[in-house]
Amino acid sequence: MLDKIGIAKRIAREVRDGMYINLGIGIPTLVANYIPSSINVVLQSENGLLGIGPFPTEAEVDPDLINAGKQTITMMPGSALFSSAESFAMIRSGKVDLTILGAMEVSEQGDIANWKVPGKMVKGMGGAMDLVASAKHIIVAMQHCSKDGASKLLPSCTLPITGLRCVKRIVSDMAVVDILPGGGFKLLERAPGVTVDDIKKATAGKLIVEGEIPEMTL
Amino acid sequence: MINKVVADADEAVRDIPDQAVLMLGGFGLCGIPENAIAALLRKGVKGLTCISNNAGVDDFGIGLMLKTRQVKKMISSYVGENAEFERQLLSGELEVELIPQGTLAERVRAGGAGIPAFFTPAGVGTEVAAGKETRDFDGKTYLMERWLRADFSLVKAWKGDTAGNLIYRGTARNFNPMMAAAGKVTIAEVEELVPVGQLDPNDIHTPGIYVHRIFQGRGYEKRIEQRTTRKS
């Protein structure tokens, strides 16, 4: 099983040179720490920045520079600033190559639910619905099962939907799976110490297993 | 040049009535019109509809106006950091409309650009789509969204001149430029107000045509929500 850092490290291996990437809050934000320095990417912050840099030192803290999680940040050389309308224009028009975000549930059709739990205070969807509706490639970072053991990879989502048929790949604490265009979770890799049987038991939706499934390398 | 300068925040918000529809710039607490909010608190105007990406925190930003029950309705994309907000929402004292962030930004932009509606893919197949027209373009389904406009827009910029031209700084720009354009009356507060001619026209983000009143704000706190630093 992978911990959060393991999931972030595995997702970092999906990153290619030259990509523009939007990272969601939580595990996706950690991915930035594990992108090899030989790969040049530009991180987009939907509140109006291309080129997110490292967190600032105490002396560098600037209240006019935050990321979408409202954390203080710095800018990389070559950064650009813009309005929220322009930010979502570049998202909607498919200029952002990769979106990495968390999810509460994903269906075997690639539907994602990640913004609202009935009975809990609804905080809002923020930019998630815009991102999932338009991104060219979406990777979801998530736990395979809830704390009480219920699968989060389902035939169809039970929670309110954030977007339909949009998720292409999931990296969970147990596995890497692709969502096939015709539906179904195609198992690609196992987490260290996890068997195909474990993954079958933990996946409520249709799991497709073909041939030997390699253990993932981080 | 037309002079848009007013003495202070109190003069700028003098005629905002009860039940007004306001837009307030900012993302989280970054780039919010601190001085105008303080003046609205002093004025005690009630029944406000506030269009703003977020709702502040308990003791800063729009959160201050929630505490004094001046807000009837919030139109936002994310309202997570506010306990008083949650209490009023659960008790039914406060009405909330949640909108995907990009749709909110574009609805405000459309309002300032004279475009009554547009189609976006965000929210298709979700509860956001309830009751809205959908249409297919080139094989993909889109949702029709309407423009948003306000009686008064309250924006915050870094620098401005007496003609109302504005320059923003860092990620404090966010919703401010679109909101400046979408207000029937737009009130801009700036950290530094300069005479016309001192700002390079090449650098202007919001042309003065959108701004009706401008004043130099005082005592900016610029509070940070998530102060995150590295060691060296």
Side-chain angles (χ1 to χ4, degrees):
Chain A
M1 299 273 275
L2 299 178
D3 58 7
K4 288 179 178 179
I5 287 170
I7 294 173
K9 282 182 176 171
R10 177 59 191 82
I11 292 176
R13 292 189 50 232
E14 303 284 318
V15 172
R16 299 288 172 268
D17 196 59
M19 277 184 166
Y20 290 89
I21 304 173
N22 182 289
L23 302 175
I25 293 161
I27 296 175
T29 304
L30 297 174
V31 172
N33 300 337
Y34 303 103
I35 299 173
S37 56
S38 58
I39 289 179
N40 288 305
V41 297
V42 176
L43 302 180
Q44 201 251 18
S45 195
E46 63 261 31
N47 56 321
L49 170 65
L50 277 168
I52 306 173
F55 292 125
T57 62
E58 198 58 44
E60 289 171 339
V61 167
D62 180 346
D64 290 338
L65 268 186
I66 63 168
N67 64 18
K70 285 118 184 176
Q71 295 170 308
T72 45
I73 49 165
T74 58
M75 292 187 285
M76 297 296 283
S79 283
L81 294 156
F82 36 85
S83 73
S84 300
E86 180 142 19
S87 177
F88 283 94
M90 65 184 72
I91 288 167
R92 248 184 256 108
S93 63
K95 302 296 192 291
V96 176
D97 299 296
L98 175 62
T99 291
I100 302 169
L101 74 176
M104 299 169 191
E105 295 177 349
V106 175
S107 83
E108 64 191 32
Q109 303 297 329
D111 303 344
I112 180 172
N114 73 350
W115 77 283
K116 188 176 184 182
V117 181
K120 284 198 181 165
M121 156 84 179
V122 180
K123 295 181 172 185
M125 64 292 282
M129 284 189 183
D130 311 270
L131 283 159
V132 301
S134 298
K136 277 190 283 194
H137 188 37
I138 298 176
I139 299 176
V140 166
M142 67 188 296
Q143 306 298 320
H144 214 98
C145 297
S146 64
K147 279 177 191 138
D148 55 14
S151 178
K152 297 177 164 194
L153 279 66
L154 303 169
S156 58
C157 292
T158 63
L159 295 171
I161 292 286
T162 308
L164 295 175
R165 294 172 180 271
C166 52
V167 178
K168 304 284 197 309
R169 181 163 286 187
I170 298 170
V171 177
S172 78
D173 51 347
M174 299 182 79
V176 180
V177 300
D178 269 0
I179 285 124
L180 296 181
F185 299 108
K186 181 164 172 40
L187 184 58
L188 300 178
E189 296 175 21
R190 302 173 286 112
V194 175
T195 67
V196 171
D197 250 10
D198 294 335
I199 296 164
K200 277 183 184 162
K201 280 180 199 141
T203 307
K206 186 166 99 182
L207 186 74
I208 297 153
V209 184
E210 288 172 354
E212 278 297 300
I213 305 300
E215 187 172 292
M216 60 178 85
T217 49
L218 298 177
Chain B
M1 264 293 171
I2 305 168
N3 190 337
K4 311 276 178 78
V5 178
V6 294
D8 55 22
D10 294 303
E11 190 189 334
V13 306
R14 64 190 183 270
D15 54 353
I16 295 183
D18 289 351
Q19 312 301 322
V21 176
L22 308 183
M23 286 182 183
L24 298 100
F27 182 96
L29 301 177
C30 182
I32 62 171
E34 293 183 23
N35 279 247
I37 289 170
L40 289 172
L41 287 168
R42 287 191 291 272
K43 188 172 162 61
V45 57
K46 286 194 165 47
L48 300 172
T49 295
C50 292
I51 302 169
S52 170
N53 189 55
N54 311 94
V57 294
D58 275 320
D59 58 349
F60 203 59
I62 293 174
L64 295 168
M65 296 200 291
L66 290 167
K67 206 176 263 182
T68 51
R69 311 279 190 88
Q70 289 173 263
V71 181
K72 176 179 72 179
K73 181 176 181 181
M74 284 300 311
I75 299 177
S76 303
S77 87
Y78 189 82
V79 292
E81 338 287 348
N82 196 314
E84 175 63 14
F85 184 99
E86 183 168 353
R87 192 198 63 72
Q88 290 186 22
L89 180 63
L90 294 173
S91 69
E93 293 161 68
L94 181 68
E95 197 185 332
V96 178
E97 184 179 343
L98 292 168
I99 298 176
Q101 194 177 137
T103 298
L104 177 62
E106 192 62 15
R107 287 179 69 183
V108 175
R109 198 197 70 81
I115 295 177
F118 59 91
F119 286 88
T120 177
V124 170
T126 75
E127 60 189 62
V128 167
K132 289 176 186 163
E133 183 182 338
T134 60
R135 201 182 293 181
D136 288 5
F137 295 93
D138 299 327
K140 187 167 170 176
T141 304
Y142 296 82
L143 198 59
M144 190 175 81
E145 293 282 1
R146 300 283 307 271
W147 61 8
L148 282 170
R149 291 176 295 175
D151 299 323
F152 293 85
S153 282
L154 311 177
V155 302
K156 152 79 177 34
W158 178 39
K159 291 180 182 176
D161 68 19
T162 52
N165 296 302
L166 304 177
I167 298 173
Y168 308 96
R169 182 172 177 279
T171 55
R173 191 180 322 182
N174 54 64
F175 284 81
N176 282 296
M178 297 85 76
M179 289 183 170
K184 279 181 208 145
V185 175
T186 291
I187 298 166
E189 58 181 88
V190 295
E191 290 176 56
E192 189 183 347
L193 182 62
V194 301
V196 283
Q198 304 236 326
L199 301 179
D200 185 338
N202 287 298
D203 295 341
I204 303 298
H205 296 131
T206 291
I209 190 169
Y210 297 118
V211 175
H212 302 87
R213 301 169 192 170
I214 188 166
F215 65 93
Q216 180 159 326
R218 297 190 189 104
Y220 280 104
E221 185 178 337
K222 293 206 199 178
R223 194 183 294 187
I224 292 169
E225 256 175 277
Q226 305 284 343
R227 192 183 192 90
T228 312
T229 57
R230 70 179 199 276
K231 292 248 163 55
S232 61

